Amino acid sequence: MDLPYYEDVSPGSGCLPPRAWYARSDAASLSLNGSWRFRLSATAGDTDDSFASDGYDAASWDDIAVPGTWALQGHGAPAYTNVNYPFPVDPPRVPTENPTGDHLRVFDLPGDWPADGGNVLRFDGVESCARVWLNGTDLGEFKGSRLPHEFAVGRLLRRAGNVLAVRVHQWSSGSYLEDQDQWWLPGIFRDVTLLHRPEGCALDFFTHASYDHRAGTGTLRVASDVAGRVTVPELGIDVATGDAVTVAVEPWTAETPRLYDGVLATAGERIPLRIGFRTVAVEDGVIKVNGRRILFRGVNRHEFHPETGRTLDLATMLADIRLMKQHNINAVRTSHYPPHPAFLDLCDELGLWVIDECDLETHGFTVQDWRANPVDDDRWTPALLDRAARMVERDKNHASVIIWSLGNECGTGRGLTAMARWIRERDADRLIHYEGDRSCADTDMYSRMYADHAEVERIGRKEDDDGPASRRQLPFILCEYGHAMGNGPGGLSEYQKLFEAHERNQGGFIWEWIDHGIAHPEFGFAYGGDFGEELHDGNFVCDGLLFPDRTPSPGLTDYKAVIQPVRFAYDGAAGTVRVTNLHDFADLSHLDFEWTYVSDGDAAGEGGELAVPKDLAAGESVELKLPDVPLESRDAETRLHLTAMVAVETNWTKLDHVVARADFPVTARPVPRAATGARPTSDTGPVTLGRVTLGPGTFDARTGELHTLGSIPLRAAPRLDVWRAPTDNDDGASWQSDRRNGVLWRELGLHRMQHRLDAVELTDDALTVRTRVAPAARDIGLRTVYRWTSDGSRLRLMVSVAPEGEWPVPLPRLGVRLGLPAAYGYAHWFGGGPGEAYPDTAAASVVGRHFMPVDRMQTPYVRPQENGARADVRWAELRTSFAGDGVRVEGDPAFWFTARRWTTEQLDAARHRTDLVPGDTVWVHLDHGQQGIGSQSCGPGVLPRHELHAAPAQFAFTFTFTFTGVSG
């Protein structure tokens, strides 16, 4: 049976051979981006080809923006799946219901458009299959959504009234190769350009620019299909194409992205070159650039914008790279397809290592145990080779691209081997990556996803004996780890220690850069299922270090601190600090350093410059003496803050941007003063019928619940709380066999704990309330005793907890929750901050004085879940204004502090940000312990040291009403 072109396994027909992309030349070009006419049909066969003919009347059609995707412009709807194909798996066939978008653009040539030479029509990205006509002539068709395709059109062009017609099918045989864990968004989503090709113009060219780190020289050779000359004025180079020249140069690295401006000149065209000299190799089982081991502090990056989908403008690309650099990220894996080519220009200029990944993923074939997988079917091999060639030829002149990746989650097969063989023959100067083949038969490195810490350590020690012995001689990377879905990821510090401890372990790439939440008028940001998809994977598409609006999440802030390229160590006894340069290449000449003593007392902080040598080389350390702690700070807890800041403005950040920081204890926290001595009194009749007054607190004599503190009526009395709205990482992934705490917590009923009152006891010095807190239908529980004392002005609560029964899982949290009137919405505290932190996500938390409105303490995860805790808090105040009246809470020991305007139950029930509506209460959590976060949404769970097991515990809080006379 003859199949239509969109179901044929071939990559297409009529296209020119792939070639190098460049941003500009002196040849004329015309952008065809803009408003096009558009018609959407339900199937591929609903309409004929007459729309491509001259004179076709498209007045009744809609307008659509190109580049863009029709599903985000009011035509159809987005759909999200992670693994499953959203259609029956019967390759290469696709459903009859195949949304098909016809696009029309009528254009004139500029008046100065050259009449000689030829012309090329270029498409940089169309999903998933396109057929193209110009002035009624069928040019051909293509597949390979995230890859460029060009057609020769010179003989067809006319000065005015050119009719460009493009038919785009949502589903094609190519869809089987593009199952890449993202929204399915059909359309012409990248640029469309008409390029003039003068007589004697450049066709394809390959810039080879290696670096000899021993001699300090670079060798340049530009191979060109059309003869010409290459000039680099700064280096005095003027040579013919194809000739090699060696000169002294400064090398290109991601830390020092030195580029030289050159020109490739042929008889008909001049093309600017941006040349970076560097050499990539595996030596002694280690990836080296310019002779040095590198450590990837990387991230996976899908192309996404909440309003335009995969259509990104240059400003957004630049914003992404600047944010990466500002958060100490040095590498990007272009998951799972080549990015817009301009993105790689920016990586060259600003400095990022790039793993350039082919537009290839067949993950959905796992559902049928990889039967009929295209990468192991020779009929598909030409399509695979076409995709590899279009990636390599387009991107081969970028210094930032140091590794080619064959694709993602395709299983194994002969097609992958053919791709690797072709790439090696075409480009022997870069490495090859692929994660899906544990034998590493086609790759230069061993790559894994989501290996846990213990396995990464075994691999680092070359004790991974589940594969061929030859694999243990290869470098190792985690191409995906630290799944950043919702609150998290946790455990990054422990991974980083393993990367630094073992030479073979060369870092990894967090999954992923940005949440793919689509802007939505009802939900704020939408995820899978919000558009009525029958088959979807929910909010698994929201797993990034950035929120959809590109606001950094706490996960990104934590990652920045984990991978910061300067390490500090403090020796309190000697009064010295040790500074280590963790860069791979750069010295510290671009940084300034400061020290500050920060006290919990009234004394202002004292600080100054830390004289770190500017020429401290990569990998070297220096020890420096600090000034003594000020006398006035020695009676209060004092911390040492150390900061490394950018000393000169760069193309990615401003002066004084903080690159690294640390804080250390200098003077210990004084032991909190107990609040005891006052006698509780009953004001009416028998104790069981009235109220009890103890210092500034008034209690219900029957229940022992605190009703007022000073003049503040409590909305809810303090009582034990163990529940948190499970995070995505608490719930884990459905396919994982490990213990999934969030699921078990709910099965146990920890979200509906019952509080039994056993006794209220009034003595001369205390009010004691004895309770048992337990879930229904279970024989486990927590014996809880609340003991209230006061010194007359302060009120102290001592909580004692004793577990009963066998607890099969850790607790979500352990502490007390209380409710204050809504007016108390301004938080001050001394402790960790300024942002959110949990036991295994606290690298960026710095102990000091912090202030924040309660509304800003919330982390707006796209799917609401536990958030907003501040770590290591000594005391916290909730006030009616910045300087208003308030409640002060002092912890013994330090505690986790959370405040929000909705209950945990409301947070748990919410599915989108817009479900959360502030109420008339500020709910305050004072936690003795919090369970860690982990990354079990698609990785390992919480490390044992960060788990909160049910165990006997005792902790205290002292409450004070603070009156300033300043109204809110």
Side-chain angles (χ1 to χ4, degrees):
M1 180 177 67
D2 290 335
L3 296 177
Y5 64 89
Y6 53 85
E7 289 186 321
D8 192 285
V9 297
S10 71
S13 65
C15 294
L16 294 170
R19 64 189 181 103
W21 184 90
Y22 44 91
R24 57 191 174 89
S25 79
D26 63 351
S29 67
L30 176 65
S31 172
L32 297 178
N33 296 345
S35 180
W36 291 44
R37 303 298 283 171
F38 177 77
R39 173 184 65 185
L40 182 63
S41 302
T43 74
D46 271 3
T47 56
D48 58 22
D49 302 341
S50 60
F51 81 103
S53 303
D54 276 350
Y56 183 86
D57 184 5
S60 63
W61 291 20
D62 294 319
D63 291 322
I64 197 169
V66 171
T69 176
W70 69 66
L72 296 180
Q73 299 187 64
H75 303 278
Y80 165 63
T81 60
N82 170 26
V83 175
N84 292 309
Y85 291 104
F87 48 78
V89 178
D90 182 23
R93 305 299 304 280
V94 296
T96 301
E97 292 75 21
N98 186 1
T100 296
D102 291 332
H103 301 67
L104 272 178
R105 172 72 190 267
V106 178
F107 66 95
D108 301 333
L109 295 179
D112 59 351
W113 191 265
D116 61 343
N119 295 279
V120 166
L121 180 64
R122 182 182 183 93
F123 294 86
D124 280 311
V126 183
E127 183 177 330
S128 73
C129 173
R131 186 176 180 185
V132 184
W133 296 262
L134 181 63
N135 294 328
T137 298
D138 187 351
L139 301 180
E141 73 282 339
F142 60 85
K143 310 176 193 81
S145 298
R146 270 67 72 173
L147 296 162
H149 296 84
E150 294 183 328
F151 297 96
V153 297
R155 61 184 174 82
L156 300 175
L157 280 178
R158 49 202 184 206
R159 282 290 168 181
N162 291 284
V163 179
L164 176 58
V166 184
R167 172 163 287 171
V168 179
H169 304 287
Q170 175 159 8
W171 308 123
S172 70
S173 61
S175 302
Y176 286 100
L177 306 180
E178 296 173 1
D179 187 24
Q180 290 145 326
D181 185 13
Q182 59 182 343
W183 294 99
W184 299 91
L185 293 172
I188 306 172
F189 67 93
R190 285 185 186 159
D191 305 300
V192 182
T193 312
L194 181 67
L195 303 168
H196 180 243
R197 307 310 297 139
E199 293 292 340
C201 67
L203 296 177
D204 191 24
F205 63 95
F206 196 163
T207 301
H208 300 269
S210 61
Y211 180 70
D212 184 336
H213 65 278
R214 298 175 183 84
T217 57
T219 299
L220 176 66
R221 180 176 64 87
V222 178
S224 176
D225 288 353
V226 176
R229 296 198 69 79
V230 176
T231 55
V232 186
E234 186 177 355
L235 297 175
I237 291 176
D238 185 347
V239 296
T241 54
D243 290 349
V245 59
T246 300
V247 294
V249 297
E250 298 174 39
W252 188 97
T253 74
E255 296 169 3
T256 55
R258 180 66 159 95
L259 293 173
Y260 291 90
D261 290 319
V263 173
L264 167 62
T266 65
E269 187 175 17
R270 293 175 60 85
I271 300 172
L273 303 178
R274 300 280 277 164
I275 303 166
F277 292 89
R278 54 104 186 97
T279 296
V280 186
V282 173
E283 298 176 359
D284 302 320
V286 175
I287 299 172
K288 293 183 178 180
V289 176
N290 304 335
R292 294 191 184 184
R293 173 185 184 262
I294 61 172
L295 185 61
F296 293 116
R297 302 169 173 91
V299 68
N300 285 273
R301 175 186 178 269
H302 268 295
E303 291 190 314
F304 182 77
H305 189 282
E307 295 176 348
T308 58
R310 274 187 285 285
T311 300
L312 270 63
D313 60 16
L314 192 64
T316 301
M317 298 179 216
L318 180 59
D320 276 352
I321 295 180
R322 283 177 171 165
L323 277 170
M324 290 178 189
K325 297 284 288 187
Q326 289 164 9
H327 289 85
N328 296 327
I329 290 168
N330 72 355
V332 62
R333 175 180 175 229
T334 68
S335 51
H336 299 293
Y337 43 82
H340 190 291
F343 180 80
L344 298 178
D345 280 349
L346 294 172
C347 291
D348 292 344
E349 183 178 346
L350 276 71
L352 287 173
W353 308 118
V354 175
I355 296 181
D356 198 354
E357 190 147 271
C358 194
D359 189 12
L360 178 60
E361 179 170 337
T362 64
H363 201 175
F365 284 90
T366 57
V367 179
Q368 42 272 342
D369 297 322
W370 295 110
R371 289 190 306 276
N373 185 8
V375 305
D376 201 29
D377 183 336
D378 292 340
R379 295 175 302 163
W380 292 80
T381 299
L384 304 185
L385 290 172
D386 180 76
R387 288 172 182 250
R390 291 186 183 280
M391 171 183 70
V392 171
E393 301 296 8
R394 191 196 77 166
D395 296 341
K396 60 183 176 286
N397 294 328
H398 289 284
S400 57
V401 176
I402 62 171
I403 297 171
W404 302 116
S405 180
L406 301 179
N408 184 65
E409 293 177 319
C410 295
T412 60
R414 300 183 299 278
L416 293 169
T417 299
M419 292 170 69
R421 184 182 303 117
W422 184 91
I423 291 173
R424 289 193 194 282
E425 290 175 356
R426 179 59 174 142
D427 181 13
D429 297 330
R430 289 183 174 94
L431 308 180
I432 293 180
H433 165 272
Y434 179 66
E435 180 271 340
D437 183 0
R438 296 286 181 91
S439 75
C440 301
D442 299 317
T443 67
D444 296 302
M445 63 204 71
Y446 179 29
S447 176
R448 288 287 305 282
M449 296 178 181
Y450 308 108
D452 64 25
H453 300 79
E455 184 173 7
V456 172
E457 179 152 29
R458 289 196 300 273
I459 292 170
R461 296 180 184 275
K462 300 185 178 181
E463 296 171 356
D464 50 311
D465 54 6
D466 58 342
S470 59
R471 193 184 72 190
R472 292 193 288 277
Q473 306 310 310
L474 296 177
F476 173 73
I477 65 168
L478 278 171
C479 68
E480 294 179 21
Y481 82 113
H483 197 253
M485 184 177 178
N487 188 334
L492 298 184
S493 294
E494 289 81 0
Y495 273 118
Q496 196 66 21
K497 290 175 183 176
L498 295 172
F499 299 155
E500 295 174 5
H502 303 286
E503 188 178 49
R504 184 190 186 193
N505 291 348
Q506 294 197 248
F509 297 78
I510 295 293
W511 186 267
E512 64 174 305
W513 178 236
I514 187 169
D515 285 345
H516 300 213
I518 292 176
H520 193 283
E522 179 183 354
F523 301 136
F525 293 107
Y527 49 77
D530 287 337
F531 296 97
E533 307 102 298
E534 209 170 65
L535 190 69
H536 65 85
D537 286 289
N539 69 309
F540 201 74
V541 76
C542 293
D543 48 9
L545 295 171
L546 295 182
F547 296 122
D549 61 3
R550 284 182 160 74
T551 301
S553 74
L556 180 56
T557 306
D558 184 64
Y559 189 43
K560 173 186 177 178
V562 167
I563 61 175
Q564 63 187 28
V566 177
R567 174 170 297 142
F568 300 101
Y570 174 61
D571 184 336
T576 58
V577 60
R578 186 176 181 84
V579 181
T580 302
N581 180 0
L582 297 179
H583 290 90
D584 295 325
F585 298 91
D587 62 19
L588 300 183
S589 58
H590 61 296
L591 299 177
D592 286 335
F593 293 79
E594 290 183 355
W595 60 269
T596 308
Y597 288 123
V598 176
S599 173
D600 187 24
D602 295 329
E606 180 176 319
E609 179 185 353
L610 189 64
V612 178
K614 295 286 187 179
D615 60 353
L616 189 69
E620 298 298 316
S621 300
V622 65
E623 192 164 298
L624 303 168
K625 179 70 175 175
L626 290 169
D628 292 337
V629 180
L631 289 174
E632 58 270 25
S633 297
R634 295 181 185 179
D635 294 331
E637 180 178 4
T638 302
R639 309 285 296 191
L640 171 65
H641 288 189
L642 299 169
T643 307
M645 300 172 295
V646 170
V648 291
E649 286 201 13
T650 71
N651 55 8
W652 54 268
T653 196
K654 296 180 179 179
L655 188 69
D656 293 338
H657 166 77
V658 175
V659 170
R661 60 162 36 107
D663 89 285
F664 301 95
V666 177
T667 302
R669 178 192 183 196
V671 176
R673 184 167 52 91
T676 59
R679 297 172 59 88
T681 61
S682 173
D683 62 354
T684 59
V687 169
T688 56
L689 299 178
R691 295 183 302 172
V692 172
T693 300
L694 178 60
T698 302
F699 299 79
D700 184 305
R702 184 183 62 84
T703 63
E705 291 184 343
L706 178 66
H707 281 185
T708 63
L709 178 66
S711 62
I712 303 174
L714 268 61
R715 299 284 187 182
R719 71 173 185 173
L720 193 76
D721 190 24
V722 300
W723 181 243
R724 74 184 188 193
T727 68
D728 293 310
N729 286 308
D730 288 335
D731 283 338
S734 60
W735 61 82
Q736 291 181 327
S737 59
D738 294 343
R739 184 188 72 207
R740 296 165 58 204
N741 289 326
V743 175
L744 294 176
W745 290 340
R746 213 176 290 275
E747 289 178 358
L748 280 174
L750 300 191
H751 60 305
R752 48 176 172 77
M753 299 287 274
Q754 298 183 15
H755 297 249
R756 187 183 73 203
L757 178 62
D758 288 341
V760 177
E761 301 169 355
L762 194 64
T763 61
D764 286 347
D765 62 348
L767 171 65
T768 302
V769 182
R770 302 185 185 277
T771 69
R772 187 176 189 270
V773 183
R778 304 287 178 171
D779 64 353
I780 57 174
L782 299 169
R783 287 281 178 184
T784 306
V785 178
Y786 307 92
R787 188 173 189 272
W788 293 94
T789 60
S790 176
D791 61 4
S793 61
R794 299 179 301 139
L795 189 63
R796 186 172 192 259
L797 169 63
M798 172 69 78
V799 182
S800 302
V801 180
E804 295 181 338
E806 296 296 325
W807 285 77
V809 291
L811 295 171
R813 67 177 350 126
L814 180 66
V816 297
R817 176 173 74 168
L818 65 147
L820 295 174
Y824 293 85
Y826 295 83
H828 292 246
W829 71 95
F830 186 82
E836 167 184 297
Y838 289 83
D840 54 353
T841 66
S845 183
V846 176
V847 174
R849 285 179 177 262
H850 304 284
F851 162 78
M852 195 174 294
V854 165
D855 295 333
R856 283 184 51 208
M857 294 180 70
Q858 315 313 305
T859 301
Y861 294 112
V862 174
R863 185 192 75 80
Q865 55 199 271
E866 167 62 31
N867 72 87
R870 270 56 181 183
D872 299 317
V873 174
R874 282 67 165 156
W875 58 260
E877 293 181 359
L878 287 154
R879 303 178 183 176
T880 56
S881 65
F882 178 79
D885 300 344
V887 176
R888 180 183 176 97
V889 184
E890 186 176 4
D892 182 13
F895 58 98
W896 304 85
F897 169 52
T898 311
R900 55 175 68 109
R901 295 188 183 274
W902 36 75
T903 65
T904 300
E905 291 74 21
Q906 290 168 329
L907 184 63
D908 187 22
R911 290 295 169 262
H912 297 89
R913 294 178 179 181
T914 51
D915 293 335
L916 294 170
V917 179
D920 61 359
T921 303
V922 172
W923 294 96
V924 182
H925 293 263
L926 311 172
D927 290 314
H928 178 62
Q930 277 270 6
Q931 166 78 355
I933 298 296
S935 62
Q936 202 175 7
S937 55
C938 191
V942 178
L943 286 167
R945 69 175 66 94
H946 300 306
E947 290 188 323
L948 178 64
H949 292 285
Q954 191 173 78
F955 48 94
F957 303 104
T958 300
F959 299 87
T960 308
F961 171 67
T962 59
F963 178 73
T964 64
V966 178
S967 66

